[in-house]
Amino acid sequence: MGQAWPNPAVGCVIESGGRILGRGWTQPGGRPHAEAMALDQAGARAQGATAHVTLEPCAHVSARGPACAGLLVAAGVARVVTALTDPDPRTAGAGHAHLRAAGIAVTTGVLADELRQDLAGFLLRFAQARPFVTLKLAATLDGRIATQGGESRWITGAPARALVHALRARHDAVMVGAGTVRADDPLLTVRGMGALRQPVRVVLSRALDLPADGALARSVPEAPLWLLHDGTAPAATVARWEGLGARLLPVASGPGGIDPAALRSFSPTSSLRRARINSARSGESVSIAARSASMRALINRASERSASTAESASGAGVRRLAFKLAAMDSRAASSRPS
């Protein structure tokens, strides 16, 4: 998750008689596909074997690579087992049909509910033209995200902060409002997780009133930066950010800031599969998350009283709450047509 965009994260295992012959998963940037990687590992042993794939093999030929359904036919596999039909109109059942036409036995619907949860972002992209949204909040037990003066930097422990980076790595984008950028000067990158593809950093700022020499400005070469604004920013400000390498995207706004309804249907952001919204002092990002039809809340709560209490509060009880909320969202996602 978070490494295969713009493609879905797909896995493939090729086996015969219970022996695994090849394994593959969608590579960073979307290619090679999982089936191609698994078939390369299996080689000639794929003849007569069974391919287990989480999503229907693609049926369309791309400039980036061949159709996976055709690769499986050419390899001579005897059976293909999948969880879901691909909602992408370029495939949408054509991959299964191509396999069956070649005499390959096809079984689908295996562990479909589990895969609808894993691929919720990909499915929502085609069902509702928007990403799966995760709202991340770091709050004290009394519901605060900072002191009144704003001087608190961290209210969670090291394990919770490591989890935050792991969550970032599983998303295509991380979104914040301009108020968070001005107050916290965040990088919004994945750190401490090895060499991973960085998520797109999306900032909502109507007037582009952001620190010119802040962390985001300095780190554009390290991670993509999209700035969503309402088109009223001075031309010189737009040119400066474009000169740094940021992508400037005008979008409709209203009295309360960037219009959430417009954002959800906005082509660049609707192409994202999984987007994470960080809590914002200005409330702008939280407002957009709250008005999203599907939202998972992961709440890292910590006590301000002591480090030991903080570690305890960010442990099992909060994880149970997070999983409960995630399950609620996953059930909602799985109930929508794919």
Side-chain angles (χ1 to χ4, degrees), residues 6-8 33 55-56 58-60 85-95 122-123 125-127 273 338:
N7 289 349
H33 283 183
L55 187 69
E56 175 187 13
C58 65
H60 61 279
T85 298
D86 189 345
D88 188 327
R90 296 175 299 175
T91 295
F122 176 70
L123 300 178
R125 167 68 182 90
F126 290 98
R273 308 308 193 215
S338 63

Side-chain angles (χ1 to χ4, degrees), residues 218-312:
R218 296 193 303 270
S219 60
V220 173
E222 303 170 21
L225 177 63
W226 293 1
L227 301 180
L228 275 60
H229 61 103
D230 66 2
T232 62
T237 302
V238 172
R240 176 171 54 77
W241 281 105
E242 287 180 335
L244 290 173
R247 185 178 181 185
L248 278 292
L249 301 168
V251 65
S253 66
I258 299 295
D259 181 12
L263 182 62
R264 286 177 53 195
S265 59
F266 185 50
S267 178
T269 50
S270 66
S271 71
L272 298 167
R273 308 308 193 215
R274 297 168 63 88
R276 199 189 81 164
I277 298 181
N278 278 18
S279 59
R281 296 170 190 262
S282 65
E284 189 170 40
S285 297
V286 175
S287 172
I288 287 179
R291 291 172 62 179
S292 174
S294 173
M295 178 179 68
R296 180 199 304 176
L298 178 64
I299 306 173
N300 294 319
R301 293 181 178 253
S303 170
E304 294 176 321
R305 298 177 184 175
S306 67
S308 61
T309 306
E311 292 302 318
S312 174

Side-chain angles (χ1 to χ4, degrees), residues 114-129:
E114 288 84 345
L115 262 295
R116 287 191 184 97
Q117 295 177 23
D118 288 343
L119 296 180
F122 176 70
L123 300 178
L124 283 170
R125 167 68 182 90
F126 290 98
Q128 299 185 23

Side-chain angles (χ1 to χ4, degrees), residues 80-241:
V80 173
V81 179
T82 68
L84 298 174
T85 298
D86 189 345
D88 188 327
R90 296 175 299 175
T91 295
H96 287 152
H98 184 58
L99 295 170
R100 290 187 175 108
I104 296 173
V106 177
T107 302
T108 191
V110 178
L111 299 177
D113 288 344
E114 288 84 345
L115 262 295
R116 287 191 184 97
Q117 295 177 23
D118 288 343
L119 296 180
F122 176 70
L123 300 178
L124 283 170
R125 167 68 182 90
F126 290 98
Q128 299 185 23
R130 65 175 185 83
F132 181 83
V133 177
T134 303
L135 173 62
K136 190 277 292 183
L137 295 172
T140 60
L141 290 174
D142 59 354
R144 310 295 181 179
I145 64 172
T147 65
Q148 188 173 7
E151 64 268 17
S152 296
R153 183 180 181 188
W154 284 324
I155 55 176
T156 53
R161 294 195 293 273
L163 177 60
V164 165
H165 285 280
L167 285 171
R168 283 183 187 172
R170 291 172 59 83
H171 287 74
D172 302 330
V174 177
M175 180 185 293
V176 297
T180 295
V181 175
R182 289 191 294 268
D184 297 342
D185 192 27
L187 266 174
L188 303 178
T189 55
V190 177
R191 301 183 294 280
M193 296 286 160
L196 294 175
R197 186 187 191 198
Q198 292 289 346
V200 176
R201 299 170 299 168
V202 181
V203 179
L204 312 182
S205 178
R206 285 181 294 177
L208 294 179
D209 48 345
L210 305 170
D213 58 350
L216 290 178
R218 296 193 303 270
S219 60
V220 173
E222 303 170 21
L225 177 63
W226 293 1
L227 301 180
L228 275 60
H229 61 103
D230 66 2
T232 62
T237 302
V238 172
R240 176 171 54 77
W241 281 105

Side-chain angles (χ1 to χ4, degrees), residues 43-65:
R45 297 176 297 171
Q47 178 81 31
T50 296
H52 302 264
V53 193
T54 53
L55 187 69
E56 175 187 13
C58 65
H60 61 279
V61 177
S62 165
R64 301 178 67 197

